[in-house]
Amino acid sequence: MKKYMLIFGAVMVFSACNDDFLDRYPQTSVAPEEFFKSEEDLELYINGLLTMSGPGSYQADQSSDNMATTGAIEIKNMLTGTPSSQTLTGGWNWTSLRNINYFLDNYQKANASEEAIAHFVGLARYYRAVFYFGMVKRYSDVPWYETALNPDDEGLYKGQDPREFVMEKVIEDLEFASQNVREGVPAGTPGLWAVKAFYSRLMLYEGTYRKYHPEVGLESSSSGILQKAAELAEEIMDAGLYTIYNSGNPSRDYGALFGSDNLIGNPEVILANAYDANKDRDGNINYTVFGDYEQSPSRDLVMGYLMKDGTRFTDMDDYEKIGFVAEFQNRDPRLMQTIAFPGWIRQPNTTPYIQSLNKNFTGYHQLKGYQNTTDEVAAGSVDFPVYRFAEVLLTYAEAKAELNTLTQTDLDQSVNLLRQRAGIPDLSMAEANAVPDPFLMEKYPDLNGSNLGVLLEIRRERRVELAMEGFRYDDLMRWHAGKLLEEIPQGMYFSGLGKYDLTGDGIVDIILVGKDATIPVGDAKEKNSLGVSLIYYKAGAIDENVDVFLENGANGGMMVTETKARYFEEPKYYYRPVPIQQVTLNPNLQQIFGWN
C-alpha cells in the first residue's frame, strides 16, 4: 500500500500545477506505464477524482431569491455593477478535466478484467460529465477536450465548441457510465444509481433550458431531452431501491434528512457525503448558516409555502401584512423544519429563541443545515445528502408536465409522496389547472397552456422541498426567470413602531422605537409580564441611523435589506464571459451574447 500512496501523491501533483490554459503534467511525475498496472491502480486514481457536494450547499441559495445576503456574491455584484470579462475572471479552470482525461488516456495499460475497466472508465466519464455540466451552465459554448493536452498541443488554442456538440458528448459519457458503473460500490462513492440521478438532473436542466431560451436556438431538441429525463427518473423509481423517508411524523421527518450523522442506508438517500469530525472530516457550518453571517431567508420564500390544509397562503387577504408569529401558523411543516419558527428553542437554552433583528438582514434564521447542538463534534459529523430520491420524483413530475404527458397517477407516484410526508393534502392536477396561482403566475410569465397550474405547483414544490440545498439559482436560470433576481429580498413584516411577540406565547418580547428615541439601559427597560426586559430596536428607513430598516420607515412594512437597484440583462446575464486573460492568450475564444 505504501507504494500506491507514493505513486498517487505523484500522480495528483498535477492538480496543483497550472498552465495559462490547461494544467500541465509535471515532468517529475511517475510515467503512466509505471502506475496504470492493475485494478487497484485504477481504483486508487478514480478515488482521487471523487467530486460531490457537501454542507456548503446549504449556503448556495445566496445567489437566488430564497435568500438575502451581505456577501460579495457574483450574481449580486453583476446585477448592481458593470460586469465584464475584466471583472468576472473566475471559473475558467480546467484542472479537474486534465486529471480525468489523463486517466482516460492511460487506463488501457492496466491488467484488469473488462468489467472492472468499464466500471472505472464509467466513473471517469461521469466525473467528466459533472465537470462539463458546470462549464456549460456558466459559459454555454466551451472547448471540448477528451484527451489530456500538453503545453505544445495545438488544441490548446482552439475556440469554443457549440453547446449542442458539447452536451452530445456529455450525454455520451453519461450513457456509457449508466451502462457500466457498478451498482455495488463503497459507501459514500457514486454507483450506478447516483450516476442515473445526476443524468436525470442534467437532462431536466438541459431540456428546460433549451425550451425556455430561444437565444441558444435548440428549442426543437428539448422534448427528446426531457423525455430522457423522465425515463431516467422512472428507471430509478421502478428499481424499488429508494423511497421517501417517512416515519409518519410530519413535524420531524423532513428535517431529519439534514441532521443525521448516518445517511448511509437511509431509504431516500442515493448518495451521501459522510462526515466525522473525529476523523478529520468536519462539516460544521453552524457559524455561517444561522443568524447574521451574510445570509438570511427571504420573505418571498416564506410566502411560497402552502397552508397545512393545502390552500395558498398568498390567497389570504392582506397576506403581505401578516406578522412573524401568524405567518407560521398552520403552514406546511417543512417551513418549520427549514426556518426557525416562533417557539423554537436553541440549545443550550431552555426558553424559546427570540429572533435577533439586524440591519440588512430579513429577521428570519435558517434551520436547514444548522445543527441544534453545542457539541462541536456532533455538529461537524452530520452527513450531507448528495442525491435524494425526492429530487428524482420532482424531475419525473416536471419533465412529464413539460411534455404534456403528466397524469394524476404520475403525480401520486411523485410529488404527492413528498406532500404525504409533510402531512399536507395531495396535489390535484385538475384543481391546479382549473385555478392557477396568480402569485406564481406573476413569477413565471413564460409558462402557459393547459398544464399551467400544475407546472406552477411543481415549481412551488421544488422550491419548498429543495430550499437551501443549492438548486434554486440553477432552476431560475433554466426557467428563464432571471428577472426575479431584480427583486431585492425583504424580511419580516411589522405594522409600525410598538411591541411585538416573536415566540408565539402571546407575551411581547421586543419593542420598536423611533429613530430619535433614547433606549433605556438596565432596569430602566420596560419588562413584559414574565418580568423579562424587552429587547429594544430603533426602526426607520434604510437611510436613517437605526437598527431595523422598514420599507415605510416608522410606519412599518417588510424589513428592507438594501436599496441599490438591480438589473438582470437578458439574455446576457444567463452566461459569463470568458476571462479577458484567456481571450488575450487565445484569440480563437469568442465572447457570446453581448459580453466583452
Side-chain angles (χ1 to χ4, degrees):
M1 179 58 71
K2 182 177 180 181
K3 162 198 163 188
Y4 291 109
M5 293 306 294
L6 289 172
I7 291 176
F8 183 68
V11 169
M12 295 310 293
V13 164
F14 60 74
S15 69
C17 297
N18 206 302
D19 185 356
D20 285 329
F21 297 91
L22 295 176
D23 298 294
R24 180 179 177 181
Y25 188 74
Q27 300 298 315
T28 57
S29 295
V30 176
E33 59 271 14
E34 294 295 324
F35 177 75
F36 292 99
K37 290 184 175 182
S38 66
E39 179 177 338
E40 188 177 6
D41 289 351
L42 299 181
E43 182 177 16
L44 184 62
Y45 194 105
I46 287 297
N47 286 344
L49 299 177
L50 182 62
T51 301
M52 53 184 174
S53 54
S57 296
Y58 292 128
Q59 298 169 270
D61 274 5
Q62 289 186 56
S63 295
S64 79
D65 57 348
N66 281 353
M67 287 282 184
T69 179
T70 59
I73 304 302
E74 182 183 70
I75 184 63
K76 177 183 168 183
N77 291 340
M78 288 170 56
L79 297 174
T80 58
T82 54
S84 71
S85 62
Q86 298 179 55
T87 61
L88 298 173
T89 57
W92 194 262
N93 189 314
W94 301 81
T95 301
S96 59
L97 178 65
R98 178 67 170 80
N99 297 348
I100 294 164
N101 283 341
Y102 185 80
F103 174 88
L104 292 171
D105 287 344
N106 292 285
Y107 72 86
Q108 303 94 332
K109 299 176 175 66
N111 181 15
S113 69
E114 289 185 9
E115 183 276 336
I117 290 174
H119 165 69
F120 291 115
V121 170
L123 284 174
R125 295 182 70 170
Y126 158 75
Y127 289 131
R128 184 164 66 185
V130 171
F131 169 83
Y132 263 109
F133 184 43
M135 296 298 279
V136 168
K137 285 192 294 183
R138 186 171 177 86
Y139 301 106
S140 196
D141 296 348
V142 290
W144 172 262
Y145 297 108
E146 57 187 19
T147 61
L149 301 182
N150 293 312
D152 56 350
D153 287 330
E154 292 184 3
L156 289 172
Y157 297 92
K158 67 179 289 186
Q160 295 103 315
D161 290 300
R163 181 190 190 109
E164 184 176 24
F165 172 80
V166 174
M167 291 307 292
E168 285 175 358
K169 303 298 285 186
V170 167
I171 291 169
E172 287 177 12
D173 276 349
L174 287 173
E175 193 63 28
F176 180 91
S178 68
Q179 294 174 11
N180 290 282
V181 170
R182 293 168 178 162
E183 185 171 346
V185 295
T189 63
L192 173 65
W193 299 108
V195 167
K196 290 191 175 184
F198 175 76
Y199 194 177
S200 66
R201 175 189 294 182
L202 178 143
M203 296 303 271
L204 178 69
Y205 183 97
E206 187 64 13
T208 49
Y209 199 96
R210 294 185 183 192
K211 180 174 182 177
Y212 293 110
H213 286 267
E215 74 272 9
V216 299
L218 299 173
E219 299 102 310
S220 62
S221 60
S222 65
S223 293
I225 295 175
L226 287 169
Q227 182 62 42
K228 184 65 174 179
E231 290 172 358
L232 286 161
E234 191 170 20
E235 281 183 43
I236 300 171
M237 294 160 64
D238 290 346
L241 299 172
Y242 303 100
T243 60
I244 293 301
Y245 173 72
N246 188 351
S247 74
N249 188 340
S251 67
R252 297 186 61 181
D253 286 342
Y254 173 74
L257 291 166
F258 315 105
S260 172
D261 61 0
N262 184 14
L263 288 178
I264 305 297
N266 183 291
E268 184 171 336
V269 180
I270 300 171
L271 176 62
N273 194 345
Y275 287 83
D276 188 338
N278 285 319
K279 297 180 180 177
D280 295 326
R281 285 280 295 163
D282 193 332
N284 189 348
I285 57 169
N286 275 2
Y287 299 108
T288 56
V289 80
F290 185 90
D292 293 335
Y293 180 87
E294 289 192 357
Q295 66 181 42
S296 53
S298 69
R299 182 118 199 268
D300 187 76
L301 171 62
V302 173
M303 291 191 291
Y305 287 78
L306 294 171
M307 304 299 292
K308 194 171 184 178
D309 63 4
T311 58
R312 302 185 291 232
F313 175 81
T314 51
D315 283 349
M316 298 173 65
D317 293 339
D318 294 326
Y319 67 87
E320 306 101 322
K321 298 180 180 179
I322 296 177
F324 176 66
V325 171
E327 70 185 345
F328 276 81
Q329 293 176 357
N330 300 314
R331 300 294 294 277
D332 180 337
R334 286 173 292 186
L335 174 59
M336 282 71 79
Q337 295 166 73
T338 303
I339 297 175
F341 54 90
W344 176 72
I345 298 174
R346 185 185 188 188
Q347 297 298 324
N349 299 322
T350 57
T351 57
Y353 175 74
I354 300 172
Q355 307 292 119
S356 62
L357 308 183
N358 205 342
K359 57 184 67 177
N360 302 117
F361 289 85
T362 64
Y364 300 107
H365 293 151
Q366 178 178 340
L367 285 187
K368 197 171 188 179
Y370 174 77
Q371 309 310 322
N372 193 16
T373 177
T374 58
D375 186 331
E376 296 293 320
V377 172
S381 301
V382 173
D383 292 352
F384 180 81
V386 179
Y387 298 125
R388 287 203 287 132
F389 188 54
E391 180 197 349
V392 173
L393 299 183
L394 290 166
T395 293
Y396 177 76
E398 184 180 347
K400 297 275 282 187
E402 291 285 4
L403 291 164
N404 289 314
T405 61
L406 183 75
T407 66
Q408 184 62 47
T409 299
D410 293 328
L411 282 178
D412 293 340
Q413 295 173 344
S414 56
V415 169
N416 285 337
L417 297 180
L418 305 180
R419 291 197 173 200
Q420 287 161 19
R421 170 174 52 200
I424 63 174
D426 288 351
L427 171 60
S428 165
M429 185 173 176
E431 292 176 8
N433 285 332
V435 188
D437 184 0
F439 178 78
L440 295 181
M441 287 175 64
E442 187 176 349
K443 292 183 179 298
Y444 308 117
D446 287 357
L447 285 183
N448 52 56
S450 59
N451 268 342
L452 169 62
V454 76
L455 264 171
L456 290 172
E457 292 305 323
I458 290 170
R459 290 188 180 187
R460 181 206 305 278
E461 195 67 29
R462 186 174 176 90
R463 186 183 192 185
V464 165
E465 179 69 27
L466 302 178
M468 301 170 192
E469 293 179 57
F471 288 90
R472 182 63 175 174
Y473 176 78
D474 281 354
D475 286 345
L476 295 181
M477 295 301 99
R478 65 188 179 90
W479 292 334
H480 193 255
K483 284 291 184 180
L484 289 177
L485 298 178
E486 292 184 343
E487 297 296 322
I488 297 172
Q490 294 179 306
M492 292 179 182
Y493 174 82
F494 293 97
S495 58
L497 305 181
K499 303 169 189 176
Y500 293 90
D501 166 29
L502 294 185
T503 63
D505 60 2
I507 300 172
V508 296
D509 303 297
I510 71 168
I511 181 170
L512 303 184
V513 298
K515 63 179 181 178
D516 297 323
T518 299
I519 296 180
V521 296
D523 291 339
K525 289 185 177 180
E526 183 177 345
K527 295 178 173 55
N528 62 21
S529 60
L530 297 176
V532 178
S533 296
L534 297 183
I535 301 170
Y536 282 70
Y537 295 99
K538 288 187 177 183
I542 197 168
D543 57 351
E544 296 175 334
N545 183 24
V546 293
D547 307 308
V548 177
F549 300 141
L550 300 177
E551 57 185 335
N552 300 314
N555 293 321
M558 284 185 269
M559 290 178 66
V560 178
T561 58
E562 56 184 284
T563 58
K564 191 171 184 179
R566 300 181 175 196
Y567 176 65
F568 189 97
E569 184 176 345
E570 293 186 330
K572 182 177 178 179
Y573 285 5
Y574 289 106
Y575 312 91
R576 302 293 182 271
V578 179
I580 187 64
Q581 304 95 319
Q582 302 302 324
V583 177
T584 301
L585 292 166
N586 179 9
N588 290 319
L589 296 172
Q590 302 294 317
Q591 304 291 8
I592 62 174
F593 300 122
W595 284 107
N596 55 50

